[in-house]
């Protein structure tokens, strides 16, 4: 009997040690979102707060970078919080609101409508930046199931160590420092930036085969609307004043119609620049994608007036305990502002990034095998469908530097923070086509080529204005249909056609790397 008890104790202690080891190992390996990619920390920060908010924001970067709860409090006494996250999809917004209602019932919910453009799960990295910060509940369970891409596994969310077990090479001092407690990075969910980068060369929206929002997006917008009505919450739809990603007129019409049909308020800040005083030369930190602090405070001031006068949100500055809490938050808000301004001053003015860089002279060797070209002294083996312009052959995923040098100066250049990689996505616009790049480990790679007119054709001779029959004759009828487009996939790229009234209206080459 004693022997059996000793054996049980031994196995119990061993099991406890293994469990403790795995727990500490998981704490070490899971990303901390503290020293970099701080947006991944936003969702978890909500649970540290007192849950007595009158206004809750939900949505993507167009809420957490464009609205300031501190200003709403200072000028209107509105107690608010932003439950935002990077590329937050509408079903994630819905389940985050469900999760919020476990703790509190706000008077108003503000939802940014940009995520209506997505009807299906997108990228694991962004899923995790939203979902891993949620505390476990039925809402988190449902959110994971709704968000997982085909390659994801539910168990990896339950036991993150299964997903991050190979992250050893990425570990830094921050992973040790913040194993159990991460520093606060937001101001009630607002991510502050004070730097300035004027908006210029904003690209037009790419043509779409179908401008209608998807069934799944509408399903969750309906669920969101119903959830608010059942809980006597006023739902306000907003479109932040971001110039990019492009907001199509057709999308605007659909949101206006939905708001009218469901008796909802809809505020499009893109149409209110005069009323808000937003200046895209001074009020954005990344060329028109998001507001800096100056811009965020301007549109927050406009929204605060509406919430106070039209929605009846109370001024609570007379509550001593709440006021004391916001006084502490204001101190850190001002400290963050000063430190960022000081860091900018110490760094000094930097030369403007023109999007161009020095590249080695390419060496094209005689007698090269067909399908091979030497760029930057490295052989490129072309795969998939390629595009040739003035003797310059362009393939998806090839290094971009040599191609850009041979193409010469672009008519316009635009860059934006990459949604898939660390670094910048870049767009070079030429007379007849646009060329997009994405950042690799050491250099940029080509991600897309979009035809702008009928003066260029594919390698196989198809251009804008050709018939659908011409496309089928050249490429066959073994194609996929994606978002209303006819798509031919070859190797790691896609050749996409939009057909309007049986005539080609758009042609685009795309990498599949960004689909992963």
């Amino acid at each position: 009997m004693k022997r059996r008890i000793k054996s049980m104790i031994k196995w119990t202690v061993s099991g406890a040690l293994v469990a403790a080891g795995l727990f500490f190992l998981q704490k070490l390996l899971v990303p901390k979102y503290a020293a970099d990619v701080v947006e991944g920390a936003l969702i978890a920060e909500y649970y540290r707060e007192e849950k007595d908010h009158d206004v809750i924001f939900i949505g993507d970067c167009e809420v957490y970078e464009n609205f300031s709860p501190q200003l709403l409090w200072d000028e209107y006494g509105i107690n608010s919080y932003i439950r935002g996250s990077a590329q937050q999809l509408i079903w994630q917004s819905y389940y985050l609101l469900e999760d919020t209602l476990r703790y509190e019932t706000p008077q108003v919910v503000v939802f940014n409508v940009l995520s209506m453009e997505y009807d299906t799960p997108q990228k694991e990295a962004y899923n995790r930046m939203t979902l891993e910060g949620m505390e476990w509940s039925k809402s988190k369970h449902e959110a994971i199931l709704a968000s997982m891409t085909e390659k994801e596994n539910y168990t990896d969310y339950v036991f993150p160590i299964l997903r991050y077990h190979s992250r050893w090479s990425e570990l830094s001092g921050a992973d040790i420092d913040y194993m159990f407690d991460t520093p606060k990075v937001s101001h009630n969910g607002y991510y502050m930036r004070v730097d300035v980068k004027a908006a210029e060369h904003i690209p037009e929206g790419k043509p779409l085969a179908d401008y209608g929002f998807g069934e799944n997006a509408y399903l969750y917008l309906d669920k969101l609307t119903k959830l608010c009505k059942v809980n006597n919450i006023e739902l306000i739809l907003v479109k932040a004043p971001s110039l990019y990603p492009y907001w199509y007129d057709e999308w605007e019409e659909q949101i206006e119609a939905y708001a009218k049909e469901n008796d909802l308020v809809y505020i499009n800040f893109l149409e209110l620049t005069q009323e808000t005083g937003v200046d895209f030369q001074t009020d954005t930190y990344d060329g028109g994608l998001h507001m800096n602090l100056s811009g965020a405070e301007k549109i927050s001031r406009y929204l605060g007036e509406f919430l106070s006068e039209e929605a009846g949100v109370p001024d609570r500055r007379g509550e001593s305990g709440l006021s004391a809490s916001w006084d502490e938050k204001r101190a850190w808000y001002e400290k963050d502002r000063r430190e960022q301004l000081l860091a900018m001053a110490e760094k000094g003015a930097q030369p403007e990034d023109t999007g161009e860089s020095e590249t080695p002279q390419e060496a094209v060797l005689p007698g090269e095998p067909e399908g091979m070209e030497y760029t930057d002294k490295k052989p490129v083996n072309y795969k998939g469908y390629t595009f040739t312009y003035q003797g310059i052959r362009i393939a998806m995923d090839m290094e971009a530097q040599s191609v850009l040098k041979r193409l010469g100066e672009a008519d316009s250049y635009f860059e934006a923070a990459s949604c898939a990689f660390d670094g910048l996505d870049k767009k070079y616009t030429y007379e007849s086509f646009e060329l997009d790049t994405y950042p690799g480990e050491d250099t940029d790679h080509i991600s897309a080529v979009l035809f702008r007119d009928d003066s260029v054709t594919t390698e196989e001779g198809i251009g804008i204005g050709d018939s659908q029959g011409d496309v089928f004759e050249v490429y066959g009828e073994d194609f996929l249909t994606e978002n209303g487009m006819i798509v031919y996939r070859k190797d790691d790229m896609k050749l996409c056609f939009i057909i309007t009234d049986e005539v080609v209206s758009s042609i685009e080459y795309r990498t599949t790397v960004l689909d992963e």
Side-chain angles (χ1 to χ4, degrees):
M1 183 68 178
K2 290 182 178 180
R3 188 174 182 181
R4 184 178 179 185
I5 292 175
K6 287 182 178 180
S7 179
M8 290 177 62
I9 293 175
K10 177 181 177 181
W11 283 107
T12 300
V13 171
S14 297
L17 290 174
V18 170
L22 290 173
F23 172 78
F24 282 98
L25 192 60
Q26 178 167 286
K27 283 289 187 181
L28 174 64
L29 292 174
V30 168
K32 309 305 184 294
Y33 302 118
D36 54 9
V37 197
V38 296
E39 295 91 336
L42 298 179
I43 292 298
E45 286 192 353
Y46 170 77
Y47 301 102
R48 305 182 190 180
E49 294 291 319
E50 292 293 327
K51 314 296 192 297
D52 185 24
H53 302 105
D54 296 301
V55 177
I56 293 288
F57 294 80
I58 50 176
D60 53 21
C61 55
E62 290 201 359
V63 291
Y64 73 75
E65 296 200 66
N66 289 340
F67 294 95
S68 169
Q70 185 68 54
L71 182 133
L72 291 176
W73 172 262
D74 288 344
E75 299 194 10
Y76 301 97
I78 293 173
N79 190 27
S80 65
Y81 199 94
I82 299 174
R83 297 214 69 184
S85 55
Q87 202 187 72
Q88 186 179 115
L89 305 170
I90 186 169
W91 44 92
Q92 295 169 348
S93 297
Y94 170 78
Y95 289 114
L96 277 167
L97 180 57
E98 255 194 8
D99 177 67
T100 302
L101 294 180
R102 297 193 300 135
Y103 304 96
E104 59 182 333
T105 303
Q107 181 178 334
V108 173
V109 165
V110 179
F111 170 63
N112 188 72
V113 296
L114 180 64
S115 63
M116 285 292 291
E117 69 174 300
Y118 298 112
D119 198 52
T120 58
Q122 296 297 303
K123 296 185 182 299
E124 179 188 6
Y126 284 99
N127 285 344
R128 290 188 172 275
M129 290 172 70
T130 296
L131 301 172
E132 287 184 340
M134 292 180 70
E135 291 188 350
W136 275 102
S137 66
K138 182 176 182 294
S139 297
K140 177 169 180 172
H141 164 75
E142 297 289 348
I144 293 172
L145 293 179
S147 303
M148 286 191 307
T149 61
E150 291 183 359
K151 296 182 179 180
E152 291 185 81
N153 190 311
Y154 182 87
T155 309
D156 291 348
Y157 283 94
V158 180
F159 304 106
I161 191 173
L162 298 176
R163 177 63 180 84
Y164 298 116
H165 67 278
S166 60
R167 192 173 163 264
W168 293 101
S169 61
E170 302 174 20
L171 293 180
S172 66
D175 287 291
I176 297 175
D177 295 340
Y178 305 128
M179 277 182 67
F180 298 102
D181 187 28
T182 56
K184 196 173 182 181
V185 300
S186 78
H187 304 273
N188 271 43
Y190 167 59
Y191 176 51
M192 181 191 293
R193 291 286 297 267
V194 303
D195 39 329
V196 178
K197 181 178 181 181
E200 52 187 14
H201 306 306
I202 302 297
E204 297 180 359
K206 293 182 179 181
L208 305 179
D210 184 0
Y211 292 88
F213 294 132
E215 291 183 7
N216 197 41
Y218 270 122
L219 170 65
Y220 277 95
L221 185 56
D222 286 341
K223 288 168 70 73
L224 186 61
T225 301
K226 182 178 179 181
L227 183 63
C228 287
K229 289 184 177 179
V230 166
N231 287 277
N232 197 30
I233 299 169
E234 180 175 358
L235 175 62
I236 296 177
L237 308 179
V238 297
K239 172 63 186 75
S242 300
L243 299 177
Y244 187 87
Y246 190 80
W247 183 250
Y248 295 89
D249 291 340
E250 293 85 351
W251 291 358
E252 175 72 6
E253 292 170 1
Q254 291 172 76
I255 295 298
E256 288 178 346
Y258 186 90
K260 183 177 181 180
E261 180 182 347
N262 290 275
D263 195 26
L264 302 176
V265 172
Y266 170 50
I267 304 173
N268 184 346
F269 284 96
L270 278 169
E271 299 177 347
L272 295 172
T273 53
Q274 184 173 350
E275 291 84 349
T276 58
V278 166
D279 183 346
F280 285 102
Q281 297 302 300
T282 59
D283 292 332
T284 172
Y285 76 85
D286 54 4
L289 280 73
H290 309 98
M291 297 289 97
N292 56 21
L293 180 59
S294 170
E297 291 189 337
K298 287 179 179 179
I299 65 174
S300 298
R301 190 169 287 115
Y302 181 97
L303 181 62
E305 183 175 346
F306 178 88
L307 291 172
S308 296
E309 298 183 2
E310 302 297 331
V313 178
D315 183 341
R316 300 177 62 184
R317 284 174 289 187
E319 300 179 25
S320 58
L322 189 58
S323 291
S325 174
W326 275 104
D327 285 345
E328 293 180 5
K329 292 177 179 180
R330 185 187 305 109
W332 184 53
Y333 187 82
E334 294 300 334
K335 180 174 182 288
D336 193 4
R337 184 208 307 256
R338 290 194 301 270
E339 289 179 348
Q340 288 192 43
L341 290 172
L342 180 61
M344 288 172 57
E346 291 177 347
K347 184 178 180 181
Q350 298 294 320
E352 184 177 359
D353 184 1
T354 64
E356 300 177 357
S357 58
E358 292 293 327
T359 60
Q361 180 68 34
E362 65 269 21
V364 180
L365 306 181
E368 63 183 22
E370 185 176 355
M372 299 285 290
E373 180 175 312
Y374 284 75
T375 58
D376 299 344
K377 301 183 180 180
K378 297 179 182 179
V380 175
N381 188 4
Y382 293 111
K383 296 181 179 180
Y385 298 104
T386 61
F387 167 60
T388 299
Y389 178 75
Q390 296 183 353
I392 305 167
R393 196 174 182 189
I394 303 171
M396 297 304 98
D397 301 313
M398 69 184 295
E399 293 185 3
Q401 288 183 339
S402 179
V403 171
L404 293 170
K405 184 173 182 178
R406 295 171 69 188
L407 287 173
E409 184 177 356
D411 294 341
S412 66
Y413 166 77
F414 177 79
E415 63 184 31
S418 176
C419 291
F421 302 91
D422 292 333
L424 298 172
D425 292 332
K426 301 173 182 178
K427 183 184 294 291
Y428 302 82
T429 301
Y430 301 90
E431 183 177 359
S432 303
F433 62 95
E434 296 174 0
L435 186 149
D436 295 353
T437 70
Y438 65 90
E441 291 185 5
D442 301 314
T443 188
D444 291 343
H445 297 264
I446 295 172
S447 62
V449 170
L450 173 70
F451 289 7
R452 291 167 52 87
D453 58 35
D454 61 2
S455 65
V456 289
T457 69
T458 67
E459 201 83 52
E460 295 76 24
I462 298 297
I464 292 175
D466 287 338
S467 70
Q468 176 177 289
D470 293 333
V471 175
F472 291 166
E473 182 177 347
V474 171
Y475 296 102
E477 298 188 36
D478 184 15
F479 56 82
L480 303 174
T481 301
E482 296 181 7
N483 301 318
M485 297 184 299
I486 290 176
V487 177
Y488 294 91
R489 184 161 180 163
K490 188 176 181 181
D491 296 323
D492 295 323
M493 60 81 61
K494 296 186 290 190
L495 179 57
C496 310
F497 296 91
I498 295 178
I499 308 293
T500 305
D501 296 328
E502 298 190 356
V503 174
V504 176
S505 58
S506 175
I507 301 175
E508 183 177 13
Y509 296 81
R510 294 182 182 178
T511 179
T512 59
V513 168
L514 302 181
D515 295 339
E516 298 176 354

